[in-house]
Amino acid sequence: MVMSLIGRLFVILFGFLAACFVAGMIVVLALLYPEFTDLGIEPPDPDTLNIVLGFGFIFVSGFALVPAMILVLITEAFYIRGILAYAIGGAICGAACYLGLIPFDPTTMHFEGVVRRHLEIMTGAGVMAGFTYWLIAGRNAGAWREPRVPRPPDPPLT
């Protein structure tokens, strides 16, 4: 059981990193290149795009670590394996990451300076990150606690 838990932790880490990469890619492309919807634009320089995607990955993984780990703990503890749970959890994590950067005014109880498009981009990136995590690790949430089915003995050799 300990070995399956260690293996599961590696799967969770890999799923988190892949989800952060996907979310970072979506955020960078949506925020830096909003004119991609125009068909007449040429593609950006690949070297510059790789550097910007790396910074997007670092940004998203740094801010999403705590909310994502809370989501992972909940889904692992309760054997939640549904794709919709991960999509909604990713959307909440994405919105929380964005709203964590916006100043909050406690006297009026609302966030100051929320840009709706940016909130939508972060929420959408969170949905895609949740889907990516589900593809890699979420489909088998809590499976490390299930006892292995004993293999039937091999037939005797003749």
Side-chain angles (χ1 to χ4, degrees):
M1 183 157 145
V2 173
M3 290 303 291
S4 60
L5 175 61
I6 292 172
R8 183 70 187 154
L9 290 175
F10 281 114
V11 171
I12 288 171
L13 179 65
F14 181 72
F16 174 72
L17 292 176
C20 286
F21 181 73
V22 168
M25 188 169 41
I26 290 171
V27 168
V28 165
L29 291 177
L31 290 178
L32 293 181
Y33 301 107
E35 63 273 357
F36 264 173
T37 56
D38 182 17
L39 296 178
I41 191 170
E42 294 186 23
D45 180 34
D47 295 332
T48 305
L49 189 61
N50 288 338
I51 291 171
V52 171
L53 286 177
F55 281 115
F57 166 73
I58 292 168
F59 168 77
V60 169
S61 62
F63 283 104
L65 180 63
V66 173
M69 286 300 125
I70 291 171
L71 181 67
V72 167
L73 285 174
I74 291 170
T75 56
E76 288 288 328
F78 295 110
Y79 295 91
I80 299 173
R81 297 179 180 174
I83 188 171
L84 188 59
Y86 288 94
I88 291 171
I92 292 170
C93 285
C97 288
Y98 176 72
L99 293 175
L101 298 173
I102 303 297
F104 181 74
D105 185 14
T107 58
T108 59
M109 296 299 287
H110 77 283
F111 291 94
E112 299 290 333
V114 173
V115 179
R116 182 177 170 178
R117 182 173 186 273
H118 296 170
L119 181 62
E120 291 169 354
I121 290 170
M122 288 296 287
T123 305
V127 169
M128 289 307 296
F131 176 71
T132 303
Y133 180 82
W134 175 81
L135 281 175
I136 296 172
R139 294 180 296 161
N140 299 321
W144 59 273
R145 292 189 286 176
E146 296 173 356
R148 291 190 176 209
V149 178
R151 210 174 83 183
D154 293 332
L157 296 173
T158 57

PDB file of all heavy atoms in Angstrom, residues 94-130:
ATOM      1  N   GLY A  94      -9.070  28.608 -10.793  1.00  0.00           N
ATOM      2  CA  GLY A  94      -8.689  29.695 -11.699  1.00  0.00           C
ATOM      3  C   GLY A  94      -9.250  31.028 -11.265  1.00  0.00           C
ATOM      4  O   GLY A  94      -8.543  32.047 -11.261  1.00  0.00           O
ATOM      5  N   ALA A  95     -10.512  31.041 -10.867  1.00  0.00           N
ATOM      6  CA  ALA A  95     -11.113  32.287 -10.383  1.00  0.00           C
ATOM      7  C   ALA A  95     -10.457  32.738  -9.077  1.00  0.00           C
ATOM      8  O   ALA A  95     -10.222  33.931  -8.877  1.00  0.00           O
ATOM      9  CB  ALA A  95     -12.615  32.097 -10.189  1.00  0.00           C
ATOM     10  N   ALA A  96     -10.135  31.790  -8.204  1.00  0.00           N
ATOM     11  CA  ALA A  96      -9.471  32.143  -6.940  1.00  0.00           C
ATOM     12  C   ALA A  96      -8.078  32.714  -7.187  1.00  0.00           C
ATOM     13  O   ALA A  96      -7.654  33.650  -6.507  1.00  0.00           O
ATOM     14  CB  ALA A  96      -9.392  30.923  -6.027  1.00  0.00           C
ATOM     15  N   CYS A  97      -7.368  32.160  -8.164  1.00  0.00           N
ATOM     16  CA  CYS A  97      -6.037  32.685  -8.485  1.00  0.00           C
ATOM     17  C   CYS A  97      -6.132  34.112  -9.001  1.00  0.00           C
ATOM     18  O   CYS A  97      -5.310  34.962  -8.656  1.00  0.00           O
ATOM     19  CB  CYS A  97      -5.350  31.805  -9.522  1.00  0.00           C
ATOM     20  SG  CYS A  97      -4.808  30.231  -8.882  1.00  0.00           S
ATOM     21  N   TYR A  98      -7.123  34.380  -9.844  1.00  0.00           N
ATOM     22  CA  TYR A  98      -7.269  35.740 -10.361  1.00  0.00           C
ATOM     23  C   TYR A  98      -7.715  36.703  -9.260  1.00  0.00           C
ATOM     24  O   TYR A  98      -7.153  37.790  -9.105  1.00  0.00           O
ATOM     25  CB  TYR A  98      -8.263  35.777 -11.518  1.00  0.00           C
ATOM     26  CG  TYR A  98      -8.502  37.178 -12.019  1.00  0.00           C
ATOM     27  CD1 TYR A  98      -7.526  37.840 -12.743  1.00  0.00           C
ATOM     28  CD2 TYR A  98      -9.684  37.845 -11.733  1.00  0.00           C
ATOM     29  CE1 TYR A  98      -7.719  39.133 -13.183  1.00  0.00           C
ATOM     30  CE2 TYR A  98      -9.896  39.138 -12.176  1.00  0.00           C
ATOM     31  CZ  TYR A  98      -8.904  39.777 -12.901  1.00  0.00           C
ATOM     32  OH  TYR A  98      -9.102  41.062 -13.323  1.00  0.00           O
ATOM     33  N   LEU A  99      -8.711  36.308  -8.502  1.00  0.00           N
ATOM     34  CA  LEU A  99      -9.232  37.198  -7.458  1.00  0.00           C
ATOM     35  C   LEU A  99      -8.227  37.390  -6.318  1.00  0.00           C
ATOM     36  O   LEU A  99      -8.303  38.376  -5.594  1.00  0.00           O
ATOM     37  CB  LEU A  99     -10.558  36.671  -6.922  1.00  0.00           C
ATOM     38  CG  LEU A  99     -11.709  36.698  -7.936  1.00  0.00           C
ATOM     39  CD1 LEU A  99     -12.946  36.044  -7.354  1.00  0.00           C
ATOM     40  CD2 LEU A  99     -12.000  38.112  -8.399  1.00  0.00           C
ATOM     41  N   GLY A 100      -7.290  36.478  -6.178  1.00  0.00           N
ATOM     42  CA  GLY A 100      -6.242  36.647  -5.185  1.00  0.00           C
ATOM     43  C   GLY A 100      -5.274  37.762  -5.537  1.00  0.00           C
ATOM     44  O   GLY A 100      -4.570  38.281  -4.677  1.00  0.00           O
ATOM     45  N   LEU A 101      -5.233  38.142  -6.793  1.00  0.00           N
ATOM     46  CA  LEU A 101      -4.351  39.225  -7.238  1.00  0.00           C
ATOM     47  C   LEU A 101      -5.039  40.584  -7.250  1.00  0.00           C
ATOM     48  O   LEU A 101      -4.383  41.607  -7.410  1.00  0.00           O
ATOM     49  CB  LEU A 101      -3.834  38.921  -8.653  1.00  0.00           C
ATOM     50  CG  LEU A 101      -2.990  37.664  -8.789  1.00  0.00           C
ATOM     51  CD1 LEU A 101      -2.697  37.394 -10.250  1.00  0.00           C
ATOM     52  CD2 LEU A 101      -1.710  37.794  -8.003  1.00  0.00           C
ATOM     53  N   ILE A 102      -6.349  40.606  -7.108  1.00  0.00           N
ATOM     54  CA  ILE A 102      -7.127  41.845  -7.185  1.00  0.00           C
ATOM     55  C   ILE A 102      -7.350  42.376  -5.770  1.00  0.00           C
ATOM     56  O   ILE A 102      -7.694  41.618  -4.861  1.00  0.00           O
ATOM     57  CB  ILE A 102      -8.495  41.583  -7.869  1.00  0.00           C
ATOM     58  CG1 ILE A 102      -8.275  40.980  -9.250  1.00  0.00           C
ATOM     59  CG2 ILE A 102      -9.327  42.825  -7.943  1.00  0.00           C
ATOM     60  CD1 ILE A 102      -7.550  41.872 -10.211  1.00  0.00           C
ATOM     61  N   PRO A 103      -7.193  43.696  -5.570  1.00  0.00           N
ATOM     62  CA  PRO A 103      -7.434  44.248  -4.222  1.00  0.00           C
ATOM     63  C   PRO A 103      -8.907  44.109  -3.809  1.00  0.00           C
ATOM     64  O   PRO A 103      -9.806  44.331  -4.610  1.00  0.00           O
ATOM     65  CB  PRO A 103      -7.056  45.721  -4.347  1.00  0.00           C
ATOM     66  CG  PRO A 103      -6.536  45.931  -5.710  1.00  0.00           C
ATOM     67  CD  PRO A 103      -6.725  44.693  -6.504  1.00  0.00           C
ATOM     68  N   PHE A 104      -9.104  43.743  -2.557  1.00  0.00           N
ATOM     69  CA  PHE A 104     -10.451  43.575  -1.999  1.00  0.00           C
ATOM     70  C   PHE A 104     -10.704  44.684  -0.994  1.00  0.00           C
ATOM     71  O   PHE A 104      -9.882  44.943  -0.112  1.00  0.00           O
ATOM     72  CB  PHE A 104     -10.558  42.202  -1.315  1.00  0.00           C
ATOM     73  CG  PHE A 104     -11.905  41.931  -0.726  1.00  0.00           C
ATOM     74  CD1 PHE A 104     -12.979  41.635  -1.533  1.00  0.00           C
ATOM     75  CD2 PHE A 104     -12.098  41.967   0.648  1.00  0.00           C
ATOM     76  CE1 PHE A 104     -14.222  41.368  -0.988  1.00  0.00           C
ATOM     77  CE2 PHE A 104     -13.336  41.708   1.202  1.00  0.00           C
ATOM     78  CZ  PHE A 104     -14.397  41.408   0.377  1.00  0.00           C
ATOM     79  N   ASP A 105     -11.858  45.339  -1.138  1.00  0.00           N
ATOM     80  CA  ASP A 105     -12.233  46.414  -0.221  1.00  0.00           C
ATOM     81  C   ASP A 105     -13.209  45.850   0.815  1.00  0.00           C
ATOM     82  O   ASP A 105     -14.363  45.565   0.486  1.00  0.00           O
ATOM     83  CB  ASP A 105     -12.878  47.564  -1.000  1.00  0.00           C
ATOM     84  CG  ASP A 105     -13.181  48.764  -0.113  1.00  0.00           C
ATOM     85  OD1 ASP A 105     -12.657  48.814   1.009  1.00  0.00           O
ATOM     86  OD2 ASP A 105     -13.936  49.640  -0.567  1.00  0.00           O
ATOM     87  N   PRO A 106     -12.786  45.659   2.070  1.00  0.00           N
ATOM     88  CA  PRO A 106     -13.675  45.050   3.058  1.00  0.00           C
ATOM     89  C   PRO A 106     -14.833  45.945   3.494  1.00  0.00           C
ATOM     90  O   PRO A 106     -15.837  45.446   3.994  1.00  0.00           O
ATOM     91  CB  PRO A 106     -12.756  44.736   4.236  1.00  0.00           C
ATOM     92  CG  PRO A 106     -11.540  45.543   4.044  1.00  0.00           C
ATOM     93  CD  PRO A 106     -11.447  45.888   2.594  1.00  0.00           C
ATOM     94  N   THR A 107     -14.719  47.261   3.300  1.00  0.00           N
ATOM     95  CA  THR A 107     -15.831  48.124   3.713  1.00  0.00           C
ATOM     96  C   THR A 107     -17.013  47.996   2.762  1.00  0.00           C
ATOM     97  O   THR A 107     -18.157  48.005   3.199  1.00  0.00           O
ATOM     98  CB  THR A 107     -15.378  49.595   3.782  1.00  0.00           C
ATOM     99  OG1 THR A 107     -14.868  49.995   2.516  1.00  0.00           O
ATOM    100  CG2 THR A 107     -14.313  49.776   4.858  1.00  0.00           C
ATOM    101  N   THR A 108     -16.734  47.879   1.468  1.00  0.00           N
ATOM    102  CA  THR A 108     -17.827  47.717   0.498  1.00  0.00           C
ATOM    103  C   THR A 108     -18.053  46.265   0.119  1.00  0.00           C
ATOM    104  O   THR A 108     -18.990  45.952  -0.605  1.00  0.00           O
ATOM    105  CB  THR A 108     -17.528  48.523  -0.776  1.00  0.00           C
ATOM    106  OG1 THR A 108     -16.303  48.059  -1.347  1.00  0.00           O
ATOM    107  CG2 THR A 108     -17.452  50.002  -0.475  1.00  0.00           C
ATOM    108  N   MET A 109     -17.173  45.372   0.594  1.00  0.00           N
ATOM    109  CA  MET A 109     -17.276  43.924   0.345  1.00  0.00           C
ATOM    110  C   MET A 109     -17.291  43.573  -1.144  1.00  0.00           C
ATOM    111  O   MET A 109     -18.091  42.755  -1.597  1.00  0.00           O
ATOM    112  CB  MET A 109     -18.514  43.329   1.034  1.00  0.00           C
ATOM    113  CG  MET A 109     -18.485  43.421   2.550  1.00  0.00           C
ATOM    114  SD  MET A 109     -17.110  42.527   3.271  1.00  0.00           S
ATOM    115  CE  MET A 109     -17.636  40.866   3.042  1.00  0.00           C
ATOM    116  N   HIS A 110     -16.411  44.177  -1.921  1.00  0.00           N
ATOM    117  CA  HIS A 110     -16.261  43.765  -3.310  1.00  0.00           C
ATOM    118  C   HIS A 110     -14.830  44.020  -3.777  1.00  0.00           C
ATOM    119  O   HIS A 110     -14.082  44.759  -3.155  1.00  0.00           O
ATOM    120  CB  HIS A 110     -17.297  44.443  -4.218  1.00  0.00           C
ATOM    121  CG  HIS A 110     -17.002  45.864  -4.552  1.00  0.00           C
ATOM    122  ND1 HIS A 110     -17.209  46.900  -3.688  1.00  0.00           N
ATOM    123  CD2 HIS A 110     -16.486  46.414  -5.686  1.00  0.00           C
ATOM    124  CE1 HIS A 110     -16.849  48.031  -4.264  1.00  0.00           C
ATOM    125  NE2 HIS A 110     -16.408  47.773  -5.466  1.00  0.00           N
ATOM    126  N   PHE A 111     -14.479  43.375  -4.876  1.00  0.00           N
ATOM    127  CA  PHE A 111     -13.142  43.486  -5.432  1.00  0.00           C
ATOM    128  C   PHE A 111     -13.049  44.749  -6.275  1.00  0.00           C
ATOM    129  O   PHE A 111     -13.965  45.081  -7.029  1.00  0.00           O
ATOM    130  CB  PHE A 111     -12.817  42.259  -6.300  1.00  0.00           C
ATOM    131  CG  PHE A 111     -12.664  41.004  -5.498  1.00  0.00           C
ATOM    132  CD1 PHE A 111     -13.729  40.145  -5.306  1.00  0.00           C
ATOM    133  CD2 PHE A 111     -11.445  40.680  -4.943  1.00  0.00           C
ATOM    134  CE1 PHE A 111     -13.590  38.992  -4.573  1.00  0.00           C
ATOM    135  CE2 PHE A 111     -11.285  39.531  -4.204  1.00  0.00           C
ATOM    136  CZ  PHE A 111     -12.349  38.681  -4.018  1.00  0.00           C
ATOM    137  N   GLU A 112     -11.938  45.449  -6.169  1.00  0.00           N
ATOM    138  CA  GLU A 112     -11.715  46.683  -6.909  1.00  0.00           C
ATOM    139  C   GLU A 112     -10.941  46.379  -8.185  1.00  0.00           C
ATOM    140  O   GLU A 112      -9.866  45.799  -8.146  1.00  0.00           O
ATOM    141  CB  GLU A 112     -10.907  47.676  -6.058  1.00  0.00           C
ATOM    142  CG  GLU A 112     -11.583  48.095  -4.784  1.00  0.00           C
ATOM    143  CD  GLU A 112     -12.785  48.986  -5.028  1.00  0.00           C
ATOM    144  OE1 GLU A 112     -12.824  49.685  -6.045  1.00  0.00           O
ATOM    145  OE2 GLU A 112     -13.687  48.963  -4.180  1.00  0.00           O
ATOM    146  N   GLY A 113     -11.468  46.790  -9.313  1.00  0.00           N
ATOM    147  CA  GLY A 113     -10.741  46.682 -10.574  1.00  0.00           C
ATOM    148  C   GLY A 113     -10.776  45.329 -11.239  1.00  0.00           C
ATOM    149  O   GLY A 113      -9.813  44.947 -11.896  1.00  0.00           O
ATOM    150  N   VAL A 114     -11.851  44.575 -11.105  1.00  0.00           N
ATOM    151  CA  VAL A 114     -11.952  43.280 -11.769  1.00  0.00           C
ATOM    152  C   VAL A 114     -12.196  43.510 -13.260  1.00  0.00           C
ATOM    153  O   VAL A 114     -13.121  44.220 -13.652  1.00  0.00           O
ATOM    154  CB  VAL A 114     -13.090  42.431 -11.169  1.00  0.00           C
ATOM    155  CG1 VAL A 114     -13.304  41.165 -11.967  1.00  0.00           C
ATOM    156  CG2 VAL A 114     -12.815  42.112  -9.728  1.00  0.00           C
ATOM    157  N   VAL A 115     -11.340  42.922 -14.078  1.00  0.00           N
ATOM    158  CA  VAL A 115     -11.531  42.961 -15.520  1.00  0.00           C
ATOM    159  C   VAL A 115     -12.231  41.667 -15.901  1.00  0.00           C
ATOM    160  O   VAL A 115     -11.697  40.576 -15.695  1.00  0.00           O
ATOM    161  CB  VAL A 115     -10.183  43.102 -16.255  1.00  0.00           C
ATOM    162  CG1 VAL A 115     -10.383  43.116 -17.754  1.00  0.00           C
ATOM    163  CG2 VAL A 115      -9.460  44.353 -15.790  1.00  0.00           C
ATOM    164  N   ARG A 116     -13.424  41.796 -16.440  1.00  0.00           N
ATOM    165  CA  ARG A 116     -14.251  40.619 -16.698  1.00  0.00           C
ATOM    166  C   ARG A 116     -13.579  39.643 -17.657  1.00  0.00           C
ATOM    167  O   ARG A 116     -13.618  38.438 -17.453  1.00  0.00           O
ATOM    168  CB  ARG A 116     -15.603  41.064 -17.256  1.00  0.00           C
ATOM    169  CG  ARG A 116     -16.522  39.910 -17.493  1.00  0.00           C
ATOM    170  CD  ARG A 116     -17.854  40.369 -17.966  1.00  0.00           C
ATOM    171  NE  ARG A 116     -18.624  39.213 -18.408  1.00  0.00           N
ATOM    172  CZ  ARG A 116     -19.831  39.286 -18.837  1.00  0.00           C
ATOM    173  NH1 ARG A 116     -20.449  40.443 -18.892  1.00  0.00           N
ATOM    174  NH2 ARG A 116     -20.457  38.208 -19.220  1.00  0.00           N
ATOM    175  N   ARG A 117     -12.942  40.154 -18.695  1.00  0.00           N
ATOM    176  CA  ARG A 117     -12.284  39.274 -19.667  1.00  0.00           C
ATOM    177  C   ARG A 117     -11.179  38.464 -18.997  1.00  0.00           C
ATOM    178  O   ARG A 117     -11.027  37.277 -19.259  1.00  0.00           O
ATOM    179  CB  ARG A 117     -11.714  40.085 -20.819  1.00  0.00           C
ATOM    180  CG  ARG A 117     -11.052  39.230 -21.880  1.00  0.00           C
ATOM    181  CD  ARG A 117     -10.637  40.049 -23.089  1.00  0.00           C
ATOM    182  NE  ARG A 117     -10.138  39.193 -24.119  1.00  0.00           N
ATOM    183  CZ  ARG A 117      -8.874  38.786 -24.210  1.00  0.00           C
ATOM    184  NH1 ARG A 117      -7.997  39.161 -23.308  1.00  0.00           N
ATOM    185  NH2 ARG A 117      -8.483  37.992 -25.196  1.00  0.00           N
ATOM    186  N   HIS A 118     -10.411  39.095 -18.122  1.00  0.00           N
ATOM    187  CA  HIS A 118      -9.332  38.381 -17.445  1.00  0.00           C
ATOM    188  C   HIS A 118      -9.877  37.311 -16.501  1.00  0.00           C
ATOM    189  O   HIS A 118      -9.312  36.214 -16.404  1.00  0.00           O
ATOM    190  CB  HIS A 118      -8.461  39.356 -16.667  1.00  0.00           C
ATOM    191  CG  HIS A 118      -7.748  40.334 -17.548  1.00  0.00           C
ATOM    192  ND1 HIS A 118      -7.077  41.419 -17.035  1.00  0.00           N
ATOM    193  CD2 HIS A 118      -7.609  40.411 -18.890  1.00  0.00           C
ATOM    194  CE1 HIS A 118      -6.550  42.099 -18.030  1.00  0.00           C
ATOM    195  NE2 HIS A 118      -6.866  41.514 -19.163  1.00  0.00           N
ATOM    196  N   LEU A 119     -10.964  37.624 -15.830  1.00  0.00           N
ATOM    197  CA  LEU A 119     -11.598  36.625 -14.961  1.00  0.00           C
ATOM    198  C   LEU A 119     -12.106  35.445 -15.786  1.00  0.00           C
ATOM    199  O   LEU A 119     -11.955  34.283 -15.387  1.00  0.00           O
ATOM    200  CB  LEU A 119     -12.738  37.260 -14.170  1.00  0.00           C
ATOM    201  CG  LEU A 119     -13.482  36.342 -13.204  1.00  0.00           C
ATOM    202  CD1 LEU A 119     -12.550  35.822 -12.130  1.00  0.00           C
ATOM    203  CD2 LEU A 119     -14.652  37.075 -12.588  1.00  0.00           C
ATOM    204  N   GLU A 120     -12.677  35.726 -16.948  1.00  0.00           N
ATOM    205  CA  GLU A 120     -13.157  34.649 -17.823  1.00  0.00           C
ATOM    206  C   GLU A 120     -12.004  33.796 -18.343  1.00  0.00           C
ATOM    207  O   GLU A 120     -12.122  32.570 -18.426  1.00  0.00           O
ATOM    208  CB  GLU A 120     -13.939  35.238 -18.996  1.00  0.00           C
ATOM    209  CG  GLU A 120     -15.251  35.861 -18.593  1.00  0.00           C
ATOM    210  CD  GLU A 120     -15.888  36.674 -19.701  1.00  0.00           C
ATOM    211  OE1 GLU A 120     -15.238  36.855 -20.766  1.00  0.00           O
ATOM    212  OE2 GLU A 120     -17.028  37.115 -19.523  1.00  0.00           O
ATOM    213  N   ILE A 121     -10.900  34.440 -18.688  1.00  0.00           N
ATOM    214  CA  ILE A 121      -9.743  33.690 -19.180  1.00  0.00           C
ATOM    215  C   ILE A 121      -9.195  32.778 -18.085  1.00  0.00           C
ATOM    216  O   ILE A 121      -8.912  31.604 -18.330  1.00  0.00           O
ATOM    217  CB  ILE A 121      -8.654  34.657 -19.690  1.00  0.00           C
ATOM    218  CG1 ILE A 121      -9.114  35.319 -20.982  1.00  0.00           C
ATOM    219  CG2 ILE A 121      -7.334  33.925 -19.903  1.00  0.00           C
ATOM    220  CD1 ILE A 121      -8.227  36.457 -21.426  1.00  0.00           C
ATOM    221  N   MET A 122      -9.045  33.306 -16.877  1.00  0.00           N
ATOM    222  CA  MET A 122      -8.519  32.489 -15.777  1.00  0.00           C
ATOM    223  C   MET A 122      -9.471  31.353 -15.410  1.00  0.00           C
ATOM    224  O   MET A 122      -9.032  30.242 -15.108  1.00  0.00           O
ATOM    225  CB  MET A 122      -8.236  33.356 -14.554  1.00  0.00           C
ATOM    226  CG  MET A 122      -7.040  34.255 -14.698  1.00  0.00           C
ATOM    227  SD  MET A 122      -5.503  33.365 -14.883  1.00  0.00           S
ATOM    228  CE  MET A 122      -5.266  32.756 -13.236  1.00  0.00           C
ATOM    229  N   THR A 123     -10.763  31.623 -15.449  1.00  0.00           N
ATOM    230  CA  THR A 123     -11.731  30.567 -15.149  1.00  0.00           C
ATOM    231  C   THR A 123     -11.714  29.495 -16.231  1.00  0.00           C
ATOM    232  O   THR A 123     -11.726  28.298 -15.928  1.00  0.00           O
ATOM    233  CB  THR A 123     -13.138  31.170 -14.999  1.00  0.00           C
ATOM    234  OG1 THR A 123     -13.096  32.196 -14.009  1.00  0.00           O
ATOM    235  CG2 THR A 123     -14.145  30.124 -14.584  1.00  0.00           C
ATOM    236  N   GLY A 124     -11.646  29.911 -17.482  1.00  0.00           N
ATOM    237  CA  GLY A 124     -11.556  28.942 -18.579  1.00  0.00           C
ATOM    238  C   GLY A 124     -10.270  28.141 -18.544  1.00  0.00           C
ATOM    239  O   GLY A 124     -10.260  26.935 -18.818  1.00  0.00           O
ATOM    240  N   ALA A 125      -9.179  28.806 -18.198  1.00  0.00           N
ATOM    241  CA  ALA A 125      -7.912  28.085 -18.066  1.00  0.00           C
ATOM    242  C   ALA A 125      -7.993  27.083 -16.922  1.00  0.00           C
ATOM    243  O   ALA A 125      -7.441  25.982 -17.013  1.00  0.00           O
ATOM    244  CB  ALA A 125      -6.770  29.074 -17.828  1.00  0.00           C
ATOM    245  N   GLY A 126      -8.698  27.434 -15.857  1.00  0.00           N
ATOM    246  CA  GLY A 126      -8.887  26.503 -14.749  1.00  0.00           C
ATOM    247  C   GLY A 126      -9.712  25.292 -15.153  1.00  0.00           C
ATOM    248  O   GLY A 126      -9.421  24.167 -14.731  1.00  0.00           O
ATOM    249  N   VAL A 127     -10.722  25.506 -15.985  1.00  0.00           N
ATOM    250  CA  VAL A 127     -11.533  24.380 -16.473  1.00  0.00           C
ATOM    251  C   VAL A 127     -10.659  23.427 -17.288  1.00  0.00           C
ATOM    252  O   VAL A 127     -10.696  22.207 -17.110  1.00  0.00           O
ATOM    253  CB  VAL A 127     -12.731  24.880 -17.295  1.00  0.00           C
ATOM    254  CG1 VAL A 127     -13.414  23.742 -18.022  1.00  0.00           C
ATOM    255  CG2 VAL A 127     -13.724  25.605 -16.407  1.00  0.00           C
ATOM    256  N   MET A 128      -9.851  23.989 -18.187  1.00  0.00           N
ATOM    257  CA  MET A 128      -8.987  23.142 -19.005  1.00  0.00           C
ATOM    258  C   MET A 128      -7.903  22.456 -18.157  1.00  0.00           C
ATOM    259  O   MET A 128      -7.530  21.318 -18.432  1.00  0.00           O
ATOM    260  CB  MET A 128      -8.345  23.959 -20.120  1.00  0.00           C
ATOM    261  CG  MET A 128      -9.328  24.364 -21.193  1.00  0.00           C
ATOM    262  SD  MET A 128     -10.260  22.974 -21.871  1.00  0.00           S
ATOM    263  CE  MET A 128      -8.982  22.011 -22.620  1.00  0.00           C
ATOM    264  N   ALA A 129      -7.421  23.139 -17.125  1.00  0.00           N
ATOM    265  CA  ALA A 129      -6.452  22.518 -16.221  1.00  0.00           C
ATOM    266  C   ALA A 129      -7.106  21.372 -15.458  1.00  0.00           C
ATOM    267  O   ALA A 129      -6.493  20.309 -15.282  1.00  0.00           O
ATOM    268  CB  ALA A 129      -5.889  23.551 -15.261  1.00  0.00           C
ATOM    269  N   GLY A 130      -8.342  21.569 -15.004  1.00  0.00           N
ATOM    270  CA  GLY A 130      -9.063  20.495 -14.321  1.00  0.00           C
ATOM    271  C   GLY A 130      -9.283  19.297 -15.226  1.00  0.00           C
ATOM    272  O   GLY A 130      -9.139  18.146 -14.809  1.00  0.00           O
TER     273      GLY A 130
END
